[in-house]
Amino acid sequence: MSTDKTFLALADFLIPAHGDMPAFGSVCTFADAEKALDFRVDLKEGFDRGLDADPALSAEAHLEKLNKEDGGAFSAVTTIAICTYYMNPRVRELLGYPGQESVRYDSKATQIYLTDGSLGHVLARGRKYRPTPGL
Amino acid sequence: MNVESLSERGTRARRDEEVDVVIVGAGPSGSVAALHLARAGLSVVALEQGEWPEYNDYTGARPEHELVSTKLWHPNPNVRDNPNDYPVDTSTTDINPLMFAGVGGSATLYGAQWMHFLPSDFRVRSLDGVAEDWPFSYEDLLPYQLEIEREVGVSGLAGDPAFPPRGPYPFPALPIGSVGLRGALGMERMGWHWWPGSNAIPSEKFGELNACVRRGTCLTGCPEGAKSTTDRSHWPLALKAGARLVTRARVKEVETNEQGLATGVVYVDANGRDRRQRAKVVILCANGVGTPRLLLMSGGAKSPDGLANSSGMVGKRLMMHPFASILASYEDPLDSWRGPFGQQVYSLEFYETDERRGFVRGSKWNCMPSGGPVGVSGATGSKVYVAEEGRFQDFWGANLHENVARRFGHSLIWGIVGEDLPEEENQVVLSKNLVDSDGLPAPQIVYKVNENSNRLLKFNIDRCLESVRAAGAIETLVSTPVRESGWHLIGTTVMGDDPKRSVVDQWGACHDVPNLYIMDASTFPTSGATNPTATIMAVALRNTRRMIAERRNQKVA
């Protein structure tokens, strides 16, 4: 099996369709995974090892073998799969994740804990600290 | 002067020039010393083994953030594998020390949680019969704490009954968001202490610092330039005042003369050449691992056990704050990728000793968001998350989707910082097997989480679970003690009055070498349970002011 097919088979086992969420291969390509790998060249060696699969093994059996015998390769394949998936715009849209966004706020706005009484309860419970002895 | 152009300024001292002060390390304490010494008219050179931060390299605003940050901005230098850092031999420790070499120091990757030590932290012997009292008190340090807050640009809300009364913070507290409100709800339902987080992140523009936009990537470098680190808060002013800063300068030895006085340092420059920086006074600000490492590498044949080590205490009493985390998921959306990431609220409910709990001293809790989908999945590189009897399938397939659906955007994390008691067996030594990229011996950490800490963490985890469940948690995940949690490196060149039992006096001057100073958290006699950067910078300012006032009486070579 070619490298890209091997990876997609592993990625689809790791990230199948479930509920509203698509399988890896429905929204991501091997080229996407290669782009992700460009951000993490430290994983490249393990990734290549992880895709050197015995064609007789199922995706699950291959991952099981990697997890037991080559943690570095298992980590590289799974990290690239999951990060590629959650970088995908369609997946983010389905999750409702805009990314680490910039949020505007009014720094001088009165915070709700000052008006709903909750911080007042903390104050009402009184002093917590032990003062310096002798003062 | 623009912060982006600072690295282009000429820096190195002239060959054979003797300066008044050479500082090793440009992190929080070294930056404070450099700024105030330069303003007082002293000639100052700081040597930093890392480089100026490149803000374009902070990936927080880009889609690849979670992929890149787990390597490039990982707090463990052994994982980051950057030649500017030194590796650490962690084969004999329960907790990995975390740090970063660069202008701004390890704060480059901190959560910016800004907490003072409490009055009892300075009087643990008097109050609880453990360890030693500090040579000075909370009240002695408070004026320096408040001055540093103004330099750093801290946001927060005064009036916390867990502290003595104090004046207002320079900036209003950051919004605590849905995560903070949910964390507070649990504490409120238990009748326990909580307070809006104080953070070294201004909520409004301040000098070279921009206002926080709640990007939520504080722990992996702030791409907004809003998190206060000294490359923005102190170095622009220090350079303007005349201080010089040499980057990619790894100090390998503090040199002394026949009289045992420091004469300067030898460092390896960016081209791998040894250079000497002569100075009347040497200040070490290289953190609780780097400072003892440098002392143990110095001294030569005259001091085979290391420089300034007649007490035998250099490297000993390492404290790293054993840490536990609890992730709690809720039905309601909490927008839990939004920052600030250090602490939206905190609790000091269990800070003080109550011996009925079966341990002494206490803890600080901080409530923070849980981040992006990769992080909350628990699946990244899942080999490390799978217990020996566990199955990788538990984190993948339909389980992955269900875990992410339940946690992502719906969860918070309480971090529990436990006070670490000083024990001489917990220490920094020189590794016999590992060297850095210049061939210098790496530090080796010998550290065990002690029984007091184990009991403390268990008690606090049980209480925290009560709190999050009181607020409606539908799932909880506990990690204890977190191995990758040694942010706070404390105690390895302890201060004290007795030269036989301590390395430096209360002003940071070495008993053995009176013109060699230490100004990082190495000197702390005890660790408290709060994040130490505020106290590190305040103690450095106190020491620096004393050094300036007494400069005519300073013994020099």
Side-chain angles (χ1 to χ4, degrees):
Chain A
M1 196 186 292
S2 63
T3 300
D4 54 344
K5 284 185 178 162
T6 300
F7 176 74
L8 289 172
L10 298 178
D12 275 348
F13 177 81
L14 293 165
I15 310 175
H18 184 76
D20 294 336
M21 300 306 292
F24 181 96
S26 304
V27 286
C28 302
T29 65
F30 185 65
D32 293 333
E34 286 183 308
K35 279 184 200 160
L37 199 53
D38 285 343
F39 288 115
R40 288 292 303 272
V41 290
D42 59 297
L43 297 179
K44 192 160 187 352
E45 204 175 299
F47 187 79
D48 290 345
R49 278 201 319 275
L51 300 192
D52 186 13
D54 176 351
L57 292 178
S58 67
E60 182 173 19
H62 179 63
L63 288 163
E64 189 81 74
K65 187 166 183 279
L66 279 184
N67 189 39
K68 284 186 179 149
E69 297 175 7
D70 189 347
F74 181 81
S75 179
V77 169
T78 55
T79 297
I80 292 300
I82 193 171
C83 289
T84 303
Y85 185 74
Y86 287 118
M87 283 161 59
N88 181 276
R90 174 67 183 143
V91 171
R92 288 186 166 206
E93 186 184 350
L94 287 166
L95 274 182
Y97 179 41
Q100 297 303 122
E101 60 187 330
S102 167
V103 181
R104 296 274 168 215
Y105 60 91
D106 177 2
S107 66
K108 293 186 171 61
T110 302
Q111 301 295 320
I112 190 168
Y113 50 75
L114 294 171
T115 56
D116 69 0
S118 56
L119 207 61
H121 297 153
V122 179
L123 292 168
R125 290 194 283 271
R127 191 183 86 185
K128 293 290 294 177
Y129 67 92
R130 288 186 292 172
T132 302
L135 279 185
Chain B
M1 184 165 42
N2 184 298
V3 73
E4 275 74 24
S5 64
L6 292 175
S7 57
E8 295 164 14
R9 287 171 61 99
T11 48
R12 192 180 295 136
R14 295 187 309 277
R15 185 180 293 274
D16 292 333
E17 178 187 355
E18 183 187 55
V19 296
D20 291 327
V21 181
V22 64
I23 299 169
V24 180
S29 57
S31 308
V32 167
L35 171 60
H36 290 274
L37 290 168
R39 279 182 171 169
L42 281 75
S43 57
V44 177
V45 168
L47 303 172
E48 166 55 52
Q49 66 182 326
E51 299 188 74
W52 283 88
E54 181 54 68
Y55 279 72
N56 287 332
D57 288 346
Y58 296 147
T59 56
R62 301 204 289 268
E64 68 270 21
H65 173 63
E66 284 196 285
L67 172 62
V68 175
S69 60
T70 50
K71 172 69 177 176
L72 188 60
W73 301 116
H74 197 288
N76 183 337
N78 292 349
V79 175
R80 206 164 50 239
D81 204 22
N82 181 332
N84 289 336
D85 298 305
Y86 51 80
V88 182
D89 184 341
T90 55
S91 59
T92 49
T93 179
D94 292 343
I95 294 176
N96 290 337
L98 308 176
M99 63 185 84
F100 184 84
V103 181
S106 298
T108 301
L109 303 181
Y110 77 159
Q113 300 176 43
W114 194 263
M115 301 291 294
H116 294 183
F117 278 19
L118 274 73
S120 72
D121 289 325
F122 300 87
R123 293 292 179 263
V124 289
R125 168 60 67 179
S126 299
L127 287 167
D128 296 323
V130 295
E132 294 88 29
D133 288 348
W134 288 45
F136 48 88
S137 69
Y138 172 90
E139 286 75 16
D140 292 330
L141 195 60
L142 185 59
Y144 303 98
Q145 294 270 23
L146 298 177
E147 186 170 348
I148 286 293
E149 281 182 5
R150 292 192 290 274
E151 292 179 2
V152 165
V154 178
S155 63
L157 179 69
D160 182 355
F163 287 92
R166 51 154 293 162
Y169 286 89
F171 295 99
L174 295 166
I176 67 175
S178 303
V179 161
L181 289 170
R182 184 53 58 100
L185 176 66
M187 304 307 281
E188 213 32 54
R189 287 190 172 157
M190 299 304 295
W192 291 343
H193 172 265
W194 66 275
W195 200 256
S198 42
N199 294 285
I201 305 171
S203 49
E204 299 167 8
K205 181 159 175 58
F206 170 61
E208 295 289 347
L209 293 160
N210 298 312
C212 176
V213 296
R214 303 186 60 200
R215 179 80 65 188
T217 59
C218 313
L219 292 176
T220 49
C222 177
E224 309 301 326
K227 186 179 76 170
S228 187
T229 44
T230 56
D231 59 294
R232 299 184 89 92
S233 64
H234 282 69
W235 277 108
L237 301 172
L239 295 177
K240 195 173 176 185
R244 285 169 286 178
L245 173 58
V246 184
T247 55
R248 294 189 64 193
R250 176 172 282 153
V251 176
K252 60 191 286 189
E253 183 180 6
V254 178
E255 293 190 308
T256 53
N257 66 8
E258 289 300 316
Q259 287 72 46
L261 290 163
T263 57
V265 301
V266 177
Y267 67 95
V268 185
D269 73 8
N271 298 314
R273 288 176 299 209
D274 280 6
R275 290 185 178 272
R276 176 172 286 109
Q277 177 61 61
R278 297 170 57 225
K280 294 184 175 75
V281 169
V282 176
I283 304 177
L284 304 186
C285 299
N287 86 34
V289 171
T291 288
R293 176 198 185 211
L294 180 53
L295 290 175
L296 293 172
M297 290 196 295
S298 304
K302 284 182 293 184
S303 305
D305 295 327
L307 189 63
N309 196 22
S310 65
S311 65
M313 297 303 291
V314 169
K316 294 185 176 171
R317 297 166 61 106
L318 173 66
M319 294 169 272
M320 292 198 282
H321 280 164
F323 179 81
S325 71
I326 286 130
L327 183 144
S329 304
Y330 298 85
E331 293 282 3
D332 323 64
L334 300 179
D335 296 339
S336 52
W337 58 86
R338 290 180 175 166
F341 208 89
Q343 57 178 4
Q344 299 199 353
V345 301
Y346 63 85
S347 173
L348 300 174
E349 177 66 25
F350 303 107
Y351 199 89
E352 303 290 353
T353 295
D354 181 343
E355 290 184 4
R356 292 170 298 178
R357 299 173 187 151
F359 56 87
V360 291
R361 305 299 298 159
S363 65
K364 175 238 169 182
W365 299 7
N366 58 281
C367 182
M368 53 190 163
S370 53
V374 176
V376 297
S377 73
T380 320
S382 57
K383 179 84 174 168
V384 297
Y385 291 91
V386 180
E388 283 188 17
E389 70 279 10
R391 303 166 64 248
F392 81 87
Q393 290 89 339
D394 294 343
F395 296 87
W396 295 99
N399 291 326
L400 172 72
H401 291 298
E402 287 170 10
N403 288 340
V404 170
R406 191 168 55 252
R407 298 168 193 160
F408 173 68
H410 291 254
S411 54
L412 57 79
I413 294 173
W414 276 105
I416 298 170
V417 179
E419 175 156 351
D420 203 359
L421 299 179
E423 297 184 318
E424 292 190 17
E425 296 76 18
N426 287 338
Q427 58 187 302
V428 178
V429 298
L430 296 180
S431 175
K432 293 181 172 60
N433 306 312
L434 192 63
V435 295
D436 66 20
S437 56
D438 290 310
L440 303 171
Q444 178 178 353
I445 310 301
V446 182
Y447 180 92
K448 290 261 178 229
V449 177
N450 63 37
E451 184 55 26
N452 194 72
S453 292
N454 283 327
R455 291 182 187 183
L456 181 155
L457 289 178
K458 182 175 185 323
F459 172 87
N460 279 273
I461 289 165
D462 290 345
R463 299 292 80 70
C464 191
L465 290 171
E466 291 172 4
S467 169
V468 297
R469 286 170 184 152
I474 56 171
E475 179 198 40
T476 56
L477 296 173
V478 176
S479 180
T480 183
V482 179
R483 185 170 177 86
E484 298 284 354
S485 70
W487 281 110
H488 307 152
L489 307 171
I490 299 170
T492 47
T493 60
V494 62
M495 76 170 92
D497 297 330
D498 182 358
K500 292 180 181 162
R501 295 293 308 152
S502 57
V503 179
V504 301
D505 67 17
Q506 67 157 312
W507 306 105
C510 290
H511 294 303
D512 297 351
V513 187
N515 64 337
L516 172 61
Y517 286 75
I518 300 171
M519 294 197 186
D520 56 38
S522 305
T523 67
F524 292 7
T526 54
S527 69
T530 67
N531 315 71
T533 303
T535 303
I536 291 170
M537 295 177 81
V539 172
L541 179 58
R542 180 177 181 269
N543 291 348
T544 303
R545 284 272 160 72
R546 163 79 174 194
M547 183 184 287
I548 293 166
E550 294 291 321
R551 62 180 152 177
R552 285 173 182 78
N553 300 319
Q554 175 66 58
K555 201 170 181 182
V556 299

